[in-house]
Amino acid sequence: MMKKILLLLILVGSTFNSFAVQLKVNVQNYYNSLAGMYSQHVYITSMENSVAINGVTINKGNCRIGTSPREYRVTLKYGQRVRVTPIIGCSVLEVKVATNKGTKTYSFK
């Protein structure tokens, strides 16, 4: 009985943790004049104070990120944003953002 209660508490706690982070994530197309083609930027905007971006994964890790981790592993205040740029030729369908307040996946299908 005690094991079941403990397991339930762990599951409930992990569920709340994954939805605790308040971010706005969007994808914007831009023309890359050096490559002569359109590409995309991912913008992550904090909707609360003190959100530390620990990692970003695009398309379940199948899309490499061209932006250095030093540039996007930052702590954001409310309204601040960071830009993450995938490699050219990658179509962003999913972005997973890991923070100090949980991890959340955003879909753009």
Side-chain angles (χ1 to χ4, degrees), residues 38-56:
Y38 282 91
S39 195
Q40 296 179 311
H41 289 306
V42 175
Y43 289 96
I44 303 168
T45 305
S46 178
M47 302 305 288
E48 62 182 278
N49 280 319
S50 302
V51 176
I53 307 295
N54 298 323
V56 176

Side-chain angles (χ1 to χ4, degrees), residues 14 25 59 93 105:
S14 65
V25 177
N59 294 352
L93 301 175
T105 302

Side-chain angles (χ1 to χ4, degrees), residues 45-103:
T45 305
S46 178
M47 302 305 288
E48 62 182 278
N49 280 319
S50 302
V51 176
I53 307 295
N54 298 323
V56 176
T57 305
I58 299 176
N59 294 352
K60 302 184 187 296
N62 295 314
C63 183
R64 287 193 5 236
I65 296 174
T67 305
S68 166
R70 288 184 308 231
E71 293 180 48
Y72 66 82
R73 288 189 180 166
V74 296
T75 299
L76 301 174
K77 295 178 184 174
Y78 179 82
Q80 289 183 322
R81 74 178 185 172
V82 66
R83 182 179 75 192
V84 179
T85 305
I87 59 167
I88 294 174
C90 181
S91 179
V92 177
L93 301 175
E94 180 183 281
V95 177
K96 181 177 176 182
V97 183
T99 74
N100 60 323
K101 298 184 179 195
T103 300

Side-chain angles (χ1 to χ4, degrees), residues 7-22:
L7 180 59
L8 180 63
L9 289 174
I10 291 171
L11 288 174
V12 169
S14 65
T15 300
F16 285 123
N17 187 35
S18 66
F19 293 108
V21 63
Q22 297 293 316

